[in-house]
Amino acid sequence: MSNLNAPNSPFVPFSPNPSIQSGVPTATPPLSASKPAQLGSSNLRYASSRKSIYDRHLNRTQRSELSKASFAFLFGEMIQYAQKQVSGIQDLEKKLNIQGYAIGQRLLELLLYREGRSAKRETRVLGILQFIAQTLYRHLFGKPADGLEKSREHEDEYMLIDHDPVVNSHISVPKEMSQLNCAAFVAGIIEAVLDGSLFPCRVTAHSVFSEQFPSKTVFLIKFEESVLEREAVLQ
Amino acid sequence: MVILSILILNKAGGLIYQRDFNEGLNKLSSNDYLVLAGTFHGVHAITSRISPVPGSGGLEVLESDQFRVQCFQTLTGTKFLIFAEPHQPNIDVICRRVYELYADYVMKNPFYQIEMPIRCEQFDRQLVAYIKPKQ
């Protein structure tokens, strides 16, 4: 710092004190000038405006997009973290499901809020499934789901089809864990949205191999009996 | 354009990936592939030491009448060896693209253990999809 304050130095330290700006050395220690700058600096939690994300408007990030690479790394770490705590594949899928569930609960609120005046409470099975295949899917992945089918064998089962789940795009499951599908995370999100809309159910993710779409995934949605009873009354 | 084979070496010189894309190279036993990779790693280290150019990165191209080997070393020391026809143009572009696929489908795969042999379906699929249509 001493040569900065030398009279013939070309570097002029910035300071609100005009005597320093003009290059005249004073008794003021130069470090004191950097203190207010530190206060206003941004970090992960607080932006430079001293506002947390809770102070922002909820629609601010409505159209913004995330880096797929950074998501891939984060999701990879989530899987490795979950893997350390479990013994079997089913346990791992359950863990991922729980992680997604917490997101789905919050997402339902946010999406309904963002729908504004056109938001309505879905009471029919088809309505809420459309909401998931269109609104929720578009919000999460920027595209609608590739298909929605009703099971022929079971009255209470529906299938949501995704030809190439975004969460699985960088993941190759090893042969010895071939039953695992990491889209269980997305299944958790869907389950939470359905539960939150009072359609209690179980959602599981299954890989269905096809030549054309090697990572095709089917989300099997199994509603509880109460949902079907209500559906029958409404019809 | 003909790409004959692609090998990937980890930073210790161990072979972690090998795949043939065309006929034209003799098939080696898996043990011989490991020896080939280890030998190349050693030769590469020696060439970078004895090179008259200061700060040389070591052996990059090896040409013969029948084929050409291009070596691409990443900053972390992983090596990509591409066996191609003798007058293959734009081979450095192919190296970079293969590196990109490696970064996307191997390094981002949570089930891949670093420095270990690559067994990732997605990587295989994407690599074939990139190399095959060009032939």
Side-chain angles (χ1 to χ4, degrees), chain A residues 69 72-73 76 79-80 83 168-174 177 180 214, chain B residues 103-112 119-123 125-126:
Chain A
F73 281 121
I79 291 168
Q80 284 178 355
Q83 221 180 347
N168 281 356
S169 56
H170 296 285
I171 294 174
S172 314
V173 176
M177 302 171 82
L180 174 70
Chain B
D104 265 355
Y105 296 101
V106 179
M107 298 312 284
K108 284 179 193 149
N109 182 6
F111 299 104
Y112 174 69
R119 278 190 220 95
C120 304
E121 279 172 50
Q122 293 264 30
F123 180 62
R125 215 177 287 138
Q126 299 286 340

Side-chain angles (χ1 to χ4, degrees), chain B residues 1-4 23-25 61-70 82-91:
Chain B
M1 142 165 170
V2 178
I3 301 288
L4 300 170
E23 305 297 312
L25 288 177
V61 188
L62 194 141
E63 277 181 320
S64 81
D65 291 342
Q66 282 86 37
F67 66 92
R68 163 196 166 107
V69 185
Q70 177 88 25
I82 299 194
F83 291 73
E85 277 196 322
H87 300 293
Q88 174 71 43
N90 284 340
I91 199 158

Side-chain angles (χ1 to χ4, degrees), chain B residues 62-132:
Chain B
L62 194 141
E63 277 181 320
S64 81
D65 291 342
Q66 282 86 37
F67 66 92
R68 163 196 166 107
V69 185
Q70 177 88 25
C71 170
F72 172 73
Q73 191 179 24
T74 69
L75 287 174
T76 50
T78 307
K79 289 188 196 64
F80 293 82
L81 295 188
I82 299 194
F83 291 73
E85 277 196 322
H87 300 293
Q88 174 71 43
N90 284 340
I91 199 158
D92 50 329
V93 178
I94 299 169
C95 286
R96 297 210 154 266
R97 180 68 187 145
V98 173
Y99 182 27
E100 220 172 89
L101 292 175
Y102 169 81
D104 265 355
Y105 296 101
V106 179
M107 298 312 284
K108 284 179 193 149
N109 182 6
F111 299 104
Y112 174 69
Q113 281 177 319
I114 215 152
E115 303 285 295
M116 294 305 273
I118 297 169
R119 278 190 220 95
C120 304
E121 279 172 50
Q122 293 264 30
F123 180 62
D124 281 338
R125 215 177 287 138
Q126 299 286 340
L127 199 60
V128 171
Y130 173 63
I131 301 284
K132 283 278 170 184

